[in-house]
Amino acid sequence: MLAFVKARYTVGLIGLDIVDRAKVNIILEKAFADGEASWLALYNDSCDLIITSGNLPVEAMDEQIVARIVDADCPDDGPFLLRRPLSHEAIVSLLRNAEAQLDSSAPAPEYGRLKVTGVTEVQPGEERAVEMAEAAPAAAPAPQMHPQFAALGPSYQQQIAAQQAPRPYPPTQAQRGVAASANAGSETVGESWADISIALYSILQTRVPTMARINLPHAESILIDFPGRRFQCAGFPDSIPLQPHQVVLRATLAQPGQGLPQGQPLERLLWFIGTRALGAGLAPWLCAEDRCRLVQWPNFTVLDHSIDHMRMTAAMGNGLLTAEELSLLSGVPFQKAAGILNAFSLMGLLHIERQPAPAPRVPAPVAGTGVGTRSSGSLFGKLIRKMGL
Amino acid sequence: MAEHVILFAGPMCAGKTTAIRSLSEIETISTEAANTDRETADKDTTTVALDYGEITIGDEDKVRLYGLPGQRRFDFMWRILMERAVGLVLLVNNDAADPLGQLAEFLEEFAELHERGGIVVGITRADIAEGPSLGDYAQTIAKSTSGAIIPVFTVDARDGNHMQTCLLSLIANIESRAALAYQQEQAA
């Protein structure tokens, strides 16, 4: 029988090479299954504990702990240092040290009423993935910046460079095998969309080939084919309650030939959850201080969007903004700005900066220069009035 | 009256003429001739000079929509019209032999317009043929423009709502970039 286990803290694996990440994943999984540590592994830098590699610069908030993986002969020492070769004991010890520090410094973060149950054990074949990972190709060199953008100042250059940075998880077969253990075969039970969205976000971040079913009381089930980026749900979106009293997500590793033969684009579901179902605030993995920038426009021709969404998207494509800045700049309520950030982050369309905030490079709402509102004299404003939108 | 010139470009058969028809308030003016290049595009006629449509906004503004011929032998016209244009709707046919290569070529050709105005990319026939994903197109755009964020959508050129979305996104993006440039000027 599966016991309900509550993940108290989150650990983010950032900038690790493929072998280290695979090993840490396997050990975390086993520690979770054995009840030695109850940590939710994510792949972003907003976690309570960040495990990173060597001297890789990581900007962390005061309340975050940064642990580093170093070679065996590294002269440094400390409670948050992991030496290669990585061992189960060392990682469990690290997690306990981190728990002790987090317990003493601040109340445990709340992730709604999320419960993670029935996480699968590491399968025999998954250790093999570590060996396969060692043969992974090196990252390609970064592309050169166009002189036009180089002239726009350091903050803008930083934004462009961040977009050109390689994705943290190239979907090699080896990684998929290892990462699958973090999500597939698990069942997440929540009492709101915010609860379940964490599991969805985790699956999307790891890019594990996963099939999922979301069950809602008195509503149609939602079948999701993550590799095929599509979903099925009769009567969507009208059949989906915005405030369900229970949401159950069951995820399994996708088998060959198991994908949905047809369905709607997954972006539609993620857009719906982000903009309408997550409530009034930011998603649990986003912070009010996070500055966000779009890395790709959403496919608006398949999304149920408004003119405000389009204006906010244009602003997000040209500036690095917090939710509040986006709200002020676009003249929309905070709830709507938070909603579009939630949706974009679920859809994987955001670059997020959590470093000490650079001076915001945002278009000032100067008369005659901003993106038009209905009452403005801009061409955009005139066109939407003309088109009756 | 202020005039705003929007160009529609892209390879043959991408849907430029149809897109202008979907948006224009007036009967569009087309200059089509028998297609002698059946290897490239299997259709009876093709645009040889340009297509024209317009949207009038009150007494103050007119949006002029020009469709450029897709064949390279007409590229002298591209340059003439580009000088007057503020933005470009670039349509690419997803079931073409090399849509990503075509996209990169057109982005290079209209780089100057991207730098001072804006571009939106519409992928046509994406529902008919398996081709590159939107992510593939976005990556090609990022490589061709050093990381700039250009809107890219799947579109049906016959669908007025789709083409409105393209046009409005283009204008919103242009105005947002202009606002950023203005702010940087003020700060300098």
Side-chain angles (χ1 to χ4, degrees):
Chain A
M1 191 175 75
L2 298 173
F4 280 86
V5 179
K6 197 165 188 173
R8 295 179 61 210
Y9 293 114
T10 53
V11 52
L13 310 183
I14 300 297
L16 299 184
D17 70 39
I18 192 166
V19 178
D20 284 344
R21 184 164 59 242
K23 286 179 177 170
V24 172
N25 253 323
I26 290 172
I27 294 169
L28 283 174
E29 195 63 30
K30 187 165 189 323
F32 191 99
D34 293 348
E36 292 177 292
S38 51
W39 287 69
L40 181 65
L42 296 173
Y43 299 87
N44 63 50
D45 60 2
S46 66
C47 296
D48 303 303
L49 168 66
I50 298 169
I51 298 182
T52 187
S53 184
N55 295 320
L56 193 76
V58 172
E59 298 288 344
M61 314 277 280
D62 290 342
E63 62 271 24
Q64 287 180 298
I65 298 170
V66 178
R68 295 183 180 281
I69 298 176
V70 297
D71 289 332
D73 57 355
C74 175
D76 298 341
D77 200 8
F80 300 115
L81 216 57
L82 286 169
R83 292 181 190 283
R84 297 187 185 92
L86 298 172
S87 70
H88 181 99
E89 292 71 27
I91 290 181
V92 170
S93 169
L94 169 78
L95 297 178
R96 290 196 174 139
N97 287 338
E99 280 176 8
Q101 178 161 321
L102 290 164
D103 286 344
S104 65
S105 60
E110 287 294 330
Y111 291 100
R113 289 165 292 280
L114 175 70
K115 297 183 181 88
V116 180
T117 66
V119 177
T120 52
E121 291 183 8
V122 176
Q123 299 303 309
E126 288 170 353
E127 282 86 351
R128 171 76 180 139
V130 176
E131 296 163 27
M132 291 164 63
E134 288 168 353
Q144 293 296 307
M145 185 177 292
H146 191 284
Q148 183 207 2
F149 291 96
L152 287 177
S155 176
Y156 201 80
Q157 290 168 27
Q158 196 178 30
Q159 295 170 20
I160 298 294
Q163 289 169 37
Q164 291 176 338
R167 296 271 184 181
Y169 297 102
T172 64
Q173 200 58 38
Q175 282 174 299
R176 284 176 176 162
V178 173
S181 64
N183 296 289
S186 68
E187 183 173 275
T188 307
V189 182
E191 296 177 22
S192 69
W193 281 106
D195 294 346
I196 216 75
S197 67
I198 296 176
L200 280 176
Y201 182 68
S202 175
I203 292 170
L204 290 158
Q205 288 282 298
T206 56
R207 302 186 185 184
V208 175
T210 302
M211 303 293 292
R213 174 189 286 270
I214 297 176
N215 288 321
L216 300 152
H218 315 301
E220 296 289 341
S221 291
I222 304 171
L223 297 175
I224 306 175
D225 171 3
F226 285 95
R229 304 287 297 180
R230 57 175 73 102
F231 76 102
Q232 287 178 350
C233 177
F236 177 86
D238 298 335
S239 62
I240 304 300
L242 294 178
Q243 295 174 319
H245 56 80
Q246 189 186 49
V247 194
V248 180
L249 182 145
R250 170 82 191 166
T252 56
L253 196 62
Q255 302 301 322
Q258 194 190 2
L260 297 175
Q262 56 192 9
Q264 303 188 52
L266 180 58
E267 280 60 35
R268 247 181 222 160
L269 176 64
L270 302 177
W271 176 259
F272 169 82
I273 294 173
T275 57
R276 295 181 58 192
L278 274 182
L282 286 167
W285 58 88
L286 291 173
C287 305
E289 299 78 22
D290 289 346
R291 282 221 156 81
C292 306
R293 183 188 163 103
L294 206 61
V295 296
Q296 181 186 328
W297 274 63
N299 189 9
F300 271 140
T301 54
V302 301
L303 301 178
D304 182 16
H305 68 280
S306 68
I307 291 301
D308 284 342
H309 288 137
M310 193 175 283
R311 292 169 49 234
M312 285 192 282
T313 305
M316 295 291 301
N318 291 290
L320 198 55
L321 306 169
T322 64
E324 189 174 2
E325 287 164 350
L326 180 61
S327 162
L328 291 172
L329 183 67
S330 308
V332 300
F334 178 84
Q335 179 180 350
K336 205 163 187 177
I340 203 169
L341 290 181
N342 294 341
F344 286 163
S345 66
L346 271 174
M347 294 158 82
L349 301 180
L350 279 190
H351 162 70
I352 301 173
E353 292 236 348
R354 297 202 158 108
Q355 299 164 9
R361 288 281 186 179
V362 300
V366 179
T369 64
V371 180
T373 60
R374 282 172 202 285
S375 59
S376 82
S378 72
L379 180 57
F380 183 83
K382 290 173 182 172
L383 271 173
I384 60 175
R385 284 200 305 278
K386 168 82 182 182
M387 292 172 174
L389 300 173
Chain B
M1 177 175 277
E3 294 188 346
H4 313 274
V5 172
I6 304 292
L7 304 184
F8 287 70
M12 280 176 78
C13 263
K16 302 177 291 290
T17 303
T18 308
I20 291 176
R21 282 186 188 144
S22 297
L23 279 171
S24 177
E25 292 180 328
I26 63 164
E27 191 70 29
T28 54
I29 300 162
S30 296
T31 50
E32 301 219 320
N35 176 24
T36 56
D37 186 5
R38 285 279 183 167
E39 272 187 31
T40 305
D42 187 19
K43 60 177 186 175
D44 293 335
T45 61
T46 191
T47 302
V48 290
L50 48 84
D51 298 314
Y52 175 75
E54 62 183 38
I55 303 169
T56 304
I57 308 169
D59 297 331
E60 295 175 352
D61 295 88
K62 184 167 282 188
V63 180
R64 298 189 184 276
L65 313 169
Y66 288 98
L68 307 178
Q71 299 111 312
R72 280 217 160 257
R73 63 177 181 272
F74 296 111
D75 63 0
F76 66 94
M77 293 184 59
W78 302 357
R79 284 189 285 279
I80 293 169
L81 283 166
M82 190 157 58
E83 288 173 14
R84 296 173 53 202
V86 294
L88 169 71
V89 178
L90 176 52
L91 297 175
V92 178
N93 182 346
N94 198 48
D95 65 0
D98 179 20
L100 296 177
Q102 289 179 332
L103 172 62
E105 273 182 35
F106 273 88
L107 287 173
E108 186 182 349
E109 201 68 44
F110 290 91
E112 185 253 326
L113 183 51
H114 164 61
E115 286 172 16
R116 64 174 169 78
I119 296 178
V120 60
V121 175
I123 309 300
T124 57
R125 298 173 69 86
D127 55 335
I128 293 170
E130 279 290 322
S133 68
L134 269 192
D136 296 330
Y137 285 105
Q139 280 185 4
T140 300
I141 291 168
K143 278 183 196 162
S144 303
T145 58
S146 298
I149 310 299
I150 288 179
V152 52
F153 310 123
T154 55
V155 299
D156 181 341
R158 298 165 298 183
D159 188 323
N161 289 331
H162 282 195
M163 297 323 300
Q164 277 187 2
T165 297
C166 276
L167 182 62
L168 288 172
S169 302
L170 174 66
I171 303 298
N173 207 29
I174 291 171
E175 292 186 350
S176 188
R177 287 181 68 187
L180 173 65
Y182 177 84
Q183 189 207 30
Q184 286 172 336
E185 261 180 39
Q186 296 295 100

